[in-house]
Amino acid sequence: MSKKDDILEAALKIFTELGTKAASTKSIAQEAQVSEALIFKYFKSKDNLIEEILKSGYREATRLVSTHLEYKSPTDYISNLLDLPKILVLANKYFWQMQYKIMPLNSMAVAHHQLFMKPCYDYLIKAFADLGYRKPILEAEILLLFIEGLWKHIAANEFDVEHIEAITYLTKKKYGLIL
Amino acid sequence: MSKKDDILEAALKIFTELGTKAASTKSIAQEAQVSEALIFKYFKSKDNLIEEILKSGYREATRLVSTHLEYKSPTDYISNLLDLPKILVLANKYFWQMQYKIMPLNSMAVAHHQLFMKPCYDYLIKAFADLGYRKPILEAEILLLFIEGLWKHIAANEFDVEHIEAITYLTKKKYGLIL
DNA sequence: GTCTATAAAGCGATAGAC
DNA sequence: GTCTATCGCTTTATAGAC
């Protein structure tokens, strides 16, 4: 692994522990066992380092979603969307832990997330409309509030797959997605 | 209003905009139109200033909850808990905006919130048990994930009471709390 | 009770050597 | 490609005058 990758890995860890503002480039350099100057050679600025991490994380997430989240039927779509937090956090745990820590205070992180979630919101409205729900927009908002809450919970706490699956399973039953 | 109150008000505003780490005591002093030294005379340290704001916010929240959230019947309790985000944010908007921005990165903020929510979690389990749900603990967790998501959403976005009420109304219908 | 002045440490970023 | 050394600035906190 190159020193550039060492820096990215260390930055992800330190940003997750402290947030982007409190994390110093010095502490990242120490964690990566490189000089502080090297960070600026590779990434030009601290903000740019954050942006690179975000880009890479959401590129990977988009790739995963494009295979797991096609719109075949409304029930399938809703069911798969409920599994999204588990799938993504399982695939890239440290990234999502960081993202849910920094999002409230980092506008770059918010922008990436909104761009990523927009199509899910639109398809979810369509799914509830297709199923004949009377207020598909409100239904989509309610389910997304729950999904974001679940996502944050998964990212913030120790990851217990069975427990997450129990939660999503019961939720799917509530929506009649499972008999 | 005393200069001490000016500082508290200014700190709440600056912490909400930037988070506790990025907000400097200098910027708080400027916003409050006092000298920076006065902040340390009154609050001793920046961390202590944050702690005082948290204490005061949750003292007020506990007071409000003690009147709005008695356990009379399981359906009433769940219904009232769903209204909690709206009631608290309406009563103390700036505090909850701050709290939901700083929580992921401030352990003091997390500790206060968990202490505050613990009895709600316990009563909610009891409520679902009293209603004969088969998995009351899981049900309580699911509803709390939604409530925390809603809370964060209310705190993070422009406050639209009618929209929030439409969301909680539909959720109450889903749980059979409204005919 | 409130201010000015300042200390001591830490910050992001750059220059220049190897 | 990588390091050491350092710059200019900001940070929290304190001392001491009024």
Side-chain angles (χ1 to χ4, degrees), chain A:
Chain A
M1 226 173 59
S2 69
K3 295 222 170 183
K4 192 178 178 182
D5 290 333
D6 289 342
I7 293 168
L8 283 168
E9 194 178 292
L12 191 57
K13 182 178 172 186
I14 304 286
F15 285 150
T16 304
E17 282 170 9
L18 303 174
T20 52
K21 178 73 189 179
S24 68
T25 47
K26 188 179 183 179
S27 66
I28 293 169
Q30 281 169 346
E31 175 74 29
Q33 289 181 285
V34 300
S35 73
E36 206 178 340
L38 200 60
I39 295 176
F40 291 94
K41 290 283 179 192
Y42 278 125
F43 298 98
K44 209 181 139 178
S45 72
K46 187 182 163 187
D47 261 2
N48 195 56
L49 169 60
I50 299 165
E51 180 70 38
E52 289 299 317
I53 292 175
L54 287 169
K55 269 188 202 164
S56 149
Y58 277 98
R59 202 183 306 125
E60 173 73 6
T62 305
R63 209 181 51 75
L64 270 169
V65 159
S66 70
T67 57
H68 276 92
L69 210 65
E70 286 176 82
Y71 193 98
K72 293 170 187 164
S73 77
T75 48
D76 275 2
Y77 188 81
I78 298 171
S79 184
N80 287 337
L81 193 63
L82 272 164
D83 289 324
L84 191 65
K86 186 191 76 178
I87 290 169
L88 291 182
V89 177
L90 263 180
N92 207 349
K93 184 178 163 188
Y94 295 116
F95 173 73
W96 291 105
Q97 285 185 338
M98 183 199 78
Q99 176 63 349
Y100 270 82
K101 280 221 173 184
I102 71 171
M103 238 199 312
L105 286 166
N106 189 301
S107 55
M108 292 185 289
V110 175
H112 276 278
H113 197 65
Q114 284 180 346
L115 205 66
F116 176 73
M117 288 304 286
K118 184 65 171 67
C120 300
Y121 177 62
D122 294 336
Y123 275 120
L124 193 56
I125 294 171
K126 174 176 158 54
F128 280 119
D130 287 353
L131 287 172
Y133 277 74
R134 289 172 66 183
K135 299 191 172 176
I137 296 175
L138 219 50
E139 294 284 352
E141 286 174 7
I142 287 173
L143 194 60
L144 276 178
L145 284 178
F146 171 73
I147 288 173
E148 293 279 346
L150 178 63
W151 209 326
K152 203 184 91 181
H153 181 260
I154 294 176
N157 297 278
E158 271 317 295
F159 196 82
D160 179 348
V161 179
E162 280 180 38
H163 190 228
I164 302 304
E165 283 175 350
I167 286 175
T168 50
Y169 182 82
L170 190 51
T171 306
K172 287 176 188 175
K173 275 177 92 172
K174 282 184 190 298
Y175 280 92
L177 305 169
I178 288 171
L179 301 179

Side-chain angles (χ1 to χ4, degrees), chain B residues 122-170:
Chain B
D122 295 336
Y123 275 120
L124 193 56
I125 294 171
K126 174 175 157 55
F128 280 118
D130 286 354
L131 287 172
Y133 278 74
R134 288 172 68 183
K135 298 190 173 177
I137 295 175
L138 220 48
E139 294 283 353
E141 286 174 6
I142 287 173
L143 194 60
L144 277 178
L145 284 179
F146 171 72
I147 288 172
E148 294 277 347
L150 178 63
W151 208 326
K152 202 185 92 183
H153 180 261
I154 294 177
N157 297 277
E158 271 316 297
F159 196 83
D160 179 347
V161 179
E162 281 181 39
H163 190 229
I164 302 305
E165 282 175 351
I167 287 175
T168 50
Y169 182 83
L170 190 52

